[in-house]
Amino acid sequence: MPTPTPTSSDASARHGATEPGVIAFLGREENRLLIDGQWRQPRSGARFSVVNPASATVLASVADAGEDDVNAAVAAARGAADDGRWSHLRPADRARTLNRIADLLERDCELLAQLETLNNGMTLPTTRGLVQYAIDLFRYYAGWPTKIHGATNPNEPSLFNYTLREPMGVVGAILPWNGSIGASAMKIAPALACGNTVVVKPAEHTPLTVLKLGELLLEAGLPDGVVNIVTGSGPLAGQILSSHPDVDVIAFTGSTHVGRQIQAATAGTLKRTILELGGKTPNIIFPDADIDKAVQMATLGFTFMNGQGCALGTRIFVHAAIHDQVVEGIGRALQAMRVGNPLDPETTVGPLGFRAQYDRVNAYIADGKGAGARLAHAARRPEGDGYFVAPTLFTDVTNDMRIAREEIFGPVAALIRFEDEDDAVLQGNNSEYGLAAAVWTRDLSRAHRMARRMNAGTIWINMIASLDISCPFGGFKQSGIGSELGPDSILSYTRNKAVFIQCDS
Ligand code: TAP
């Protein structure tokens, strides 16, 4: 695999971009930091390269924020929070701005999808879905500013006692690299709806659509300093943001490993911390299920987003009676997959996000083979320099192997046998993660039993890997703390203040 080469003026042509907005974006010499409504150079002048994972060539040059820059971004957000330039607007006016952001995302949907595809390697239908998700999030949370309220409490007649539901202040949003546009909207839209200001740190590998979103936020008329974007590394920019005394909430999505570091960093200032972390979703197929559907969705369930989704069904538990049928069915589905350039409409699976991820996933495949699992089926990997990994199914896996216990975050599934319902529950729940679980059965009583017995934040029955903006999503066990989406995000980004007024004096 060659080292990525420097960008050039014909970058957009080399990367196959067709959208004029993407060509213009990639034609820039550099990208800057968004601080207090201005696009600024990093104080140190440091930059890093963002790579197209389909070709392993440089896509863009991005500012590398240092301590001074993060402090400046936090100061801008603090100032904007404290003077009320956003939170004191009429709720209906905040709602209007959020709707305007959704309109602009809709206008630039194709641009954003293509930019995301070039940056993270996911196919265009997938990234169009991510942009649509972002649009839906801004529209959904545009409905909230006019509906956030406190309560009056029954109390002594001489007292008037009520609560005020207030914004938290400054939200630090630290994003993962798988689906930046959706992940950023998931935090920015509700934080703004509640009247907060935000400092966003996108993942180093995939900041481009977040920078484009920054332009749209300014175009929508968001006041200066209300959203600030600092591109940079996690151990530096992310760490400073997490421990910063002027940040009131850290909303983090990423790995469980980094989640622990974030919690340690936020402990010093005891700030509210929302952690959306990794998963190892059990996908349990009972013999009474619609097997064809279960096989089709089990395949999609670990290859969607090129296998880089937190809740994908990467542990497939199959009842012994249907084991061979399921293995053959997934094998046929993998053979039909086209792994390749994610801009090509024929492609079903693109490359992994970046070089280290490619190496990591290949190491897990080697580990699975070494541990005695059988590599039952794999799709074909294309020739070329991109970070392509063929979707791979291991059978003869036991739940104690590393490929069954650790999050691989690539298109690799471990197929494990189970004997009966109790065994499926026992093995499925035997994981440090508890993000989601899927169950395939036509038995209604079993479906309800399994929904209660599985120890995970989201349960899918006869479906998999589906979220809804109005339904809370969050992990149990080491998959996270707190939850996002629906009304839960409103609670996460607000605080409750109690007011007592003595009325008879
Ligand atoms: P991570 O490696 O954990 O990185 C996530 C973010 O944290 C990145 O912006 C990263 O910055 C930053 N970071 C790294 N070290 C940090 C530190 N010491 N202090 C502060 N920030 C730090 O995750 P990833 O590889 O981007 O994303 C994949 C992971 O996210 C998977 O585990 C996946 O399951 C999880 N995920 C979970 C969900 C939900 S909703 N539960 C959704 C999507 C993804 P740099 O990358 O720039 O270094």
Side-chain angles (χ1 to χ4, degrees):
M1 192 84 40
T3 306
T5 50
T7 191
S8 71
S9 54
D10 68 344
S12 52
R14 260 191 311 115
H15 294 287
T18 52
E19 277 293 310
V22 176
I23 293 169
F25 192 100
L26 296 182
R28 296 173 183 174
E29 289 296 308
E30 59 192 20
N31 292 284
R32 301 183 182 194
L33 308 167
L34 179 60
I35 299 175
D36 211 7
Q38 307 294 320
W39 291 100
R40 295 191 198 166
Q41 294 286 9
R43 189 73 70 87
S44 69
R47 315 196 65 77
F48 60 90
S49 295
V50 170
V51 172
N52 176 351
S55 59
T57 54
V58 172
L59 199 54
S61 167
V62 172
D64 193 358
E67 185 167 1
D68 288 346
D69 305 305
V70 178
N71 286 339
V74 173
R78 181 83 266 159
D82 290 349
D83 70 16
R85 75 187 76 163
W86 175 246
S87 61
H88 293 179
L89 290 182
R90 282 189 335 128
D93 290 336
R94 286 210 308 275
R96 194 168 299 119
T97 304
L98 290 176
N99 267 319
R100 218 176 291 138
I101 296 166
D103 292 342
L104 295 174
L105 285 166
E106 225 153 34
R107 182 195 69 190
D108 287 352
C109 175
E110 209 45 35
L111 182 171
L112 286 157
Q114 198 171 97
L115 195 59
E116 191 84 301
T117 288
L118 288 172
N119 198 170
N120 72 11
M122 293 179 192
T123 61
L124 271 177
T126 307
T127 55
R128 284 185 189 122
L130 289 171
V131 180
Q132 186 57 52
Y133 179 60
I135 295 165
D136 292 347
L137 281 162
F138 274 100
R139 293 232 185 277
Y140 173 81
Y141 284 107
W144 270 100
T146 50
K147 298 167 192 73
I148 298 169
H149 55 76
T152 54
N153 299 330
N155 214 314
E156 293 171 33
S158 62
L159 279 181
F160 179 39
N161 176 202
Y162 62 96
T163 57
L164 292 170
R165 190 155 277 282
E166 299 180 334
M168 290 292 295
V170 176
V171 173
I174 302 179
L175 309 179
W177 57 270
N178 66 327
S180 299
I181 189 69
S184 55
M186 212 160 155
K187 300 189 189 319
I188 296 172
L192 292 182
C194 298
N196 298 283
T197 63
V198 188
V199 178
V200 187
K201 198 217 75 73
E204 207 174 331
H205 298 285
T206 57
L208 300 188
T209 50
V210 183
L211 291 170
K212 185 67 204 172
L213 174 63
E215 292 176 15
L216 301 185
L217 297 177
L218 296 183
E219 187 180 343
L222 201 66
D224 292 350
V226 172
V227 173
N228 307 271
I229 301 173
V230 286
T231 49
S233 84
L236 181 63
Q239 179 77 18
I240 294 166
L241 194 58
S242 306
S243 53
H244 205 295
D246 278 337
V247 174
D248 301 295
V249 184
I250 284 290
F252 170 79
T253 300
S255 62
T256 295
H257 169 70
V258 174
R260 291 189 192 103
Q261 296 175 5
I262 301 265
Q263 198 171 27
T266 57
T269 47
L270 288 178
K271 55 175 63 74
R272 187 178 291 178
T273 308
I274 306 153
L275 302 175
E276 297 290 355
L277 308 178
K280 194 77 186 173
T281 294
N283 182 17
I284 301 170
I285 307 176
F286 285 97
D288 63 26
D290 174 342
I291 303 294
D292 288 344
K293 180 90 186 292
V295 162
Q296 182 201 345
M297 295 307 290
T299 312
L300 196 64
F302 77 91
T303 56
F304 178 58
M305 297 174 92
N306 308 340
Q308 302 157 128
C310 52
L312 294 186
T314 49
R315 285 188 300 152
I316 305 175
F317 289 93
V318 180
H319 189 273
I322 52 166
H323 176 272
D324 294 353
Q325 188 186 353
V326 170
V327 172
E328 281 161 27
I330 294 178
R332 274 194 302 277
L334 291 183
Q335 289 307 313
M337 282 186 162
R338 280 272 307 262
V339 185
N341 181 349
L343 286 179
D344 181 342
E346 299 292 312
T347 296
T348 45
V349 175
L352 298 188
F354 51 97
R355 178 65 200 251
Q357 188 62 13
Y358 171 84
D359 292 339
R360 188 167 170 269
V361 173
N362 278 313
Y364 272 110
I365 293 175
D367 187 87
K369 288 180 195 166
R374 191 166 71 86
L375 201 161
H377 297 287
R380 272 189 301 276
R381 181 202 182 280
E383 298 302 315
D385 293 332
Y387 306 133
F388 298 99
V389 170
T392 299
L393 177 72
F394 278 106
T395 58
D396 297 347
V397 179
T398 53
N399 207 22
D400 56 354
M401 290 181 187
R402 275 185 72 208
I403 57 167
R405 301 209 72 76
E406 296 176 16
E407 186 181 41
I408 299 174
F409 222 56
V412 181
L415 194 134
I416 302 168
R417 290 172 194 255
F418 69 87
E419 295 302 325
D420 54 26
E421 190 177 306
D422 286 345
D423 186 30
V425 171
L426 200 67
Q427 292 201 67
N429 283 338
N430 184 356
S431 168
E432 71 183 43
Y433 296 110
L435 193 56
V439 176
W440 298 82
T441 180
R442 285 190 174 110
D443 179 335
L444 186 62
S445 302
R446 170 179 278 154
H448 284 295
R449 270 197 313 272
M450 291 297 287
R452 287 168 190 264
R453 296 183 78 186
M454 295 313 296
N455 192 2
T458 295
I459 310 294
W460 294 295
I461 306 288
N462 296 327
M463 59 188 292
I464 190 163
S466 181
L467 302 185
D468 190 273
I469 48 170
S470 62
C471 181
F473 182 69
F476 291 179
K477 299 194 271 183
Q478 295 191 41
S479 286
I481 297 177
S483 59
E484 292 187 300
L485 298 179
D488 282 30
S489 286
I490 300 299
L491 296 178
S492 294
Y493 294 120
T494 52
R495 59 188 186 184
N496 226 357
K497 178 186 279 176
V499 182
F500 290 80
I501 299 178
Q502 180 67 256
C503 300
D504 60 359
S505 59

